[in-house]
Amino acid sequence: QKEVEQDPGPLSVPEGAIVSLNCTYSNSAFQYFMWYRQYSRKGPELLMYTYSSGNKEDGRFTAQVDKSSKYISLFIRDSQPSDSATYLCAMKEGTQGGSEKLVFGKGMKLTVNP
Amino acid sequence: DAGVTQSPTHLIKTRGQQVTLRCSPKSGHDTVSWYQQALGQGPQFIFQYYEEEERQRGNFPDRFSGHQFPNYSSELNVNALLLGDSALYLCASSYAGTQGYTFGSGTRLTVV
């Protein structure tokens, strides 16, 4: 079983739709949860960052973490064509002396059609 | 404020050759990590450097080695290149003790 699983899609939605992206994980030591956006031929750009469980909102983006279910989500409201990109979930252990590496999902390619 | 800078942007090498990729971290960052991203996959952790030492290593063979310089810049070296080493190589920098990783645009390596 992979440490982080992400539906690779692709996903195509009309402009203005609500988009839901999800990841599951198996490592209970993960404490830091991130969503990155990656445009074609570019490096990943940090969108949202959450420590432990709960919700975090930033403009049209909401990140949710459910540690009991080992499940994280990213919601995009009022999606725009400029949101078309690959979205990667990433996680990191939080224990003192724990792993420093980010563990990524496979990435979900999103296309928002005008 | 310059972000993470990687060079070169593209590179074509022949199987069996050696390659060196370079990374300058974001200003104020002292930790550099390297990732390999194959086409259609998420980035995979290669190793991390802090205070000029390798702090942690992922599941990559010894053909992959690195170095960090006193100015925090870093190099990734790959020896005896294989076709399977073709990928986007990403450098990420951070400040020790924080969780904010900034990625560069990567070096696209093609091995023929």
Side-chain angles (χ1 to χ4, degrees):
Chain A
Q1 182 186 9
K2 285 192 173 183
E3 278 191 292
V4 178
E5 300 272 7
Q6 180 177 11
D7 182 355
L11 180 63
S12 182
V13 302
E15 183 176 353
I18 296 174
V19 176
S20 172
L21 307 172
N22 310 297
C23 288
T24 59
Y25 63 95
S26 58
N27 185 349
S28 56
F30 286 145
Q31 295 279 356
Y32 298 95
F33 304 92
M34 301 152 212
W35 286 95
Y36 282 84
R37 177 173 61 194
Q38 187 173 25
Y39 291 115
S40 181
R41 302 183 184 281
K42 295 290 187 182
E45 168 197 11
L46 181 64
L47 263 182
M48 301 286 285
Y49 159 74
T50 309
Y51 172 70
S52 195
S53 283
N55 294 357
K56 186 173 185 178
E57 188 172 320
D58 183 4
R60 297 184 295 111
F61 298 89
T62 300
Q64 288 185 350
V65 175
D66 181 350
K67 291 188 70 182
S68 62
S69 301
K70 295 190 174 69
Y71 188 89
I72 71 169
S73 301
L74 177 71
F75 297 96
I76 307 174
R77 291 183 299 279
D78 188 26
S79 56
Q80 302 295 309
S82 58
D83 295 329
S84 297
T86 295
Y87 289 80
L88 296 149
C89 62
M91 307 177 191
K92 181 179 172 301
E93 293 180 5
T95 54
Q96 186 73 18
S99 173
E100 293 293 329
K101 68 178 181 182
L102 291 179
V103 181
F104 284 86
K106 204 173 179 179
M108 159 76 88
K109 185 172 183 180
L110 171 68
T111 301
V112 181
N113 301 299
Chain B
D1 181 21
V4 177
T5 305
Q6 291 187 243
S7 63
T9 53
H10 296 86
L11 203 52
I12 299 175
K13 288 287 191 178
T14 302
R15 190 171 48 183
Q17 284 188 316
Q18 177 265 345
V19 68
T20 297
L21 311 181
R22 296 176 175 82
C23 172
S24 292
K26 181 177 179 178
S27 178
H29 286 182
D30 58 5
T31 302
V32 173
S33 304
W34 287 91
Y35 289 80
Q36 179 195 66
Q37 186 176 23
L39 197 62
Q41 303 294 318
Q44 298 290 313
F45 177 77
I46 302 175
F47 41 54
Q48 185 181 82
Y49 277 85
Y50 172 68
E51 291 189 339
E52 302 179 49
E53 290 195 356
E54 183 182 291
R55 181 153 73 170
Q56 186 179 355
R57 187 179 184 91
N59 293 327
F60 280 80
D62 292 344
R63 297 187 297 108
F64 289 77
S65 63
H67 189 78
Q68 185 180 34
F69 299 94
N71 67 352
Y72 308 119
S73 67
S74 177
E75 287 183 350
L76 164 65
N77 300 293
V78 187
N79 295 323
L81 284 167
L82 303 173
L83 297 179
D85 295 331
S86 296
L88 179 67
Y89 288 85
L90 295 163
C91 171
S93 72
S94 59
Y95 180 70
T98 68
Q99 310 305 325
Y101 291 76
T102 301
F103 281 83
S105 291
T107 294
R108 184 160 298 281
L109 172 65
T110 302
V111 183
V112 297

